[in-house]
């Protein structure tokens, strides 16, 4: 791939070339498709590629660009995680049970991007139903990390993160229930944002845990993240949990001056067992923010953090066990085998769900069952309230909290597959954000053994601007986000 090929551009760079007609959307789309076809045999980030449809959409975008009134994302090629419904394009959620399912409608975010004439290139690989942290729980194949092909890209949006890092598209979309955007963004060295719960419509997102799920972008930098958020955020009448608050213009957050900004560093996020080099990179990043004029409180405390993982693994599986009940073998079934309805459901769910999904359904069904509900589910909800209250308190004296995204860099493929608890632990720093419903962003802040380190920023509800403000200022001073894997 030539270093300056169109597929390596940021959105903001491509926008001006498209508008001045120095580059066409068709050329840009062809460049991404060429990259996809040369790389996919090794990377395997995608479950579907829509060449023909993408070129057709690019042609339409070029007509709009020529007419002179494009939207911000007109002609920009992107990839969606395969958990979002795309009209006419297969949507599997990385599961056998949805193999061959072609949605008759678009998710709201996909519709909004279609209305701007962004170009959909394909659908990315993921852990089945977004349950996992490595993309190895995809029913189809694992995805490699573009920085080192023997490492995981993270998960569950690993395909979207790997595709973004390797320039298969100018931006990608993921979903984040407990870290599934930020952790893979960290492992692949790109920007990933989980918005505030309610900021982006979940209509057309296949539900995992409805009180935690959010859709968000993967981009090269903070500026592009603001551009995509401008397109996808905002109220939606098809999602009763989407906030009626009108979103701001996120680009106004890109100011570069963070003097006087109050940063907090919660001590519970620097734990025993984390990689020393990760800690060092994160502390260096915080010191840089301090030199840029932010005031840093190095001793913020969020004491309930240590209960977040346990609470999450009650709440998320409980909601999943209810959400996944709809895959009963009748409407989206895999098989029609069985003499009775019950046998058909058993055959379909038995063959259609992988081991991690079955584990979650069993955990959730158990936690919600009569006699155990109070001990598990209710208790977990109480912990959730404590965690929310602690964040509320922290944001009275801090604008942004800064932590590592994950305790380690990307781990070797296969190394945690047999040990679910070890896999779950890789999200220990990202889960509290979903539990509290606040926004979180990961951006690259260094490398260890050739693998990216992620810096996580958290802010108060509906203050994505604070995250973009800090990320933009940091990226004005550093070049981690400009490095590319040599694939
Ligand atoms: N890794 C976490 C889990 O397995 C989070 C997944 C996600 O955010 N979708 O549940």
């Amino acid at each position: 791939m030539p270093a300056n090929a169109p597929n390596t551009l940021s959105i903001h760079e491509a926008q001006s070339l498209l508008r001045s007609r120095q580059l066409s959307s068709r050329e840009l789309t062809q460049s991404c498709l060429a990259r996809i076809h040369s790389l996919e045999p090794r990377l395997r980030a995608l479950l579907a590629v829509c060449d023909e449809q993408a070129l057709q959409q690019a042609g339409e975008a070029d007509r709009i660009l020529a007419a002179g009134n494009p939207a911000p994302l007109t002609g920009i090629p992107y990839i969606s995680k395969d958990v979002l419904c795309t009209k006419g394009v297969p949507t599997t959620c990385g599961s056998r049970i949805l193999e061959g399912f072609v949605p008759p409608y678009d998710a709201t975010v996909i519709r909004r991007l279609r209305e701007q004439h962004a170009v959909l290139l394909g659908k990315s690989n993921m852990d089945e139903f977004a349950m996992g942290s490595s993309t190895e729980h995809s029913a189809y194949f694992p995805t490699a990390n573009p920085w080192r092909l023997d490492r995981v890209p993270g998960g569950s949006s690993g395909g979207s993160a790997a595709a973004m890092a390797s320039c298969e598209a100018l931006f990608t979309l993921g979903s984040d229930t407990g870290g599934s955007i930020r952790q893979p963004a960290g492992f692949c060295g790109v920007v990933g944002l989980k918005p505030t719960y309610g900021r982006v419509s979940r209509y057309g997102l296949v539900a995992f845990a409805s009180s935690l799920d959010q859709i968000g972008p993967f981009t090269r930098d903070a500026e592009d993240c603001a551009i995509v958020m401008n397109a996808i955020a905002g109220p939606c009448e098809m999602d009763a949990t989407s906030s009626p608050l009108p979103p701001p213009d996120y680009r106004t957050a890109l100011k570069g001056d963070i003097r006087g900004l109050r940063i907090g560093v919660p001590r519970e996020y620097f734990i025993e067992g984390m990689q020393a080099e990760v800690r060092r990179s994160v502390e260096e990043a915080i010191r840089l923010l301090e030199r840029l004029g932010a005031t840093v409180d190095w001793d913020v405390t969020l004491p309930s953090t240590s209960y977040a993982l346990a609470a999450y693994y009650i709440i998320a599986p409980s909601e999943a066990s209810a959400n996944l009940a709809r895959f009963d073998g009748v409407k989206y079934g895999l098989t029609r085998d069985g003499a009775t309805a019950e046998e058909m459901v058993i055959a379909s769910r038995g063959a259609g769900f992988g081991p991690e999904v079955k584990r979650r359904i069993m955990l959730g069904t158990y936690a919600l069952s009569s006699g155990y509900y109070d001990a598990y589910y209710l208790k977990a909800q109480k912990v959730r309230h404590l965690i929310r209250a602690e964040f509320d308190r922290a944001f009275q004296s801090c604008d942004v909290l800064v932590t590592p995204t994950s305790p380690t860099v990307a781990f070797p493929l296969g190394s945690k597959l047999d040990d679910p608890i070890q896999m779950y632990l890789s999200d220990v720093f990202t889960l509290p954000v979903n539990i509290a419903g606040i926004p979180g962003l990961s951006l690259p802040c260094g490398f260890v053994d050739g693998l990216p380190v992620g810096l996580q920023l958290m802010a108060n509800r509906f203050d994505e601007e604070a995250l973009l403000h800090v990320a933009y200022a940091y990226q004005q001073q550093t070049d981690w986000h400009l490095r590319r894997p040599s694939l």
Side-chain angles (χ1 to χ4, degrees), residues 81 126-127 129-134 137 155-157 175-184 194 208-209 212-214 312-313 316-317 356 360 423-424 426-427 430-431 434:
K81 185 178 183 179
M126 55 184 283
D127 286 300
F129 286 106
M131 296 169 187
S133 308
S134 68
H137 292 310
S156 65
S157 316
S175 65
D176 188 314
T177 305
S180 278
I181 292 175
R182 290 157 290 150
Q183 185 255 28
K194 184 210 86 83
F208 164 8
L212 302 163
D213 298 340
Q214 265 292 289
Y312 174 88
Y313 277 98
E356 185 61 28
R360 305 287 178 110
M423 190 73 93
Y424 298 171
S426 84
D427 298 310
T430 51
L431 301 167
N434 303 73

Side-chain angles (χ1 to χ4, degrees), residues 19 64 75 92 104 119 129 131 138 219 287 323 356 360 440 447:
R19 276 153 200 224
I64 287 162
T92 68
V119 174
F129 286 106
M131 296 169 187
S138 164
T219 56
R287 275 193 289 272
N323 275 326
E356 185 61 28
R360 305 287 178 110
F447 282 82

Side-chain angles (χ1 to χ4, degrees), residues 1-14:
M1 174 183 73
N4 55 355
N7 62 303
T8 64
L9 294 168
S10 65
I11 299 174
H12 54 92
E13 289 164 342

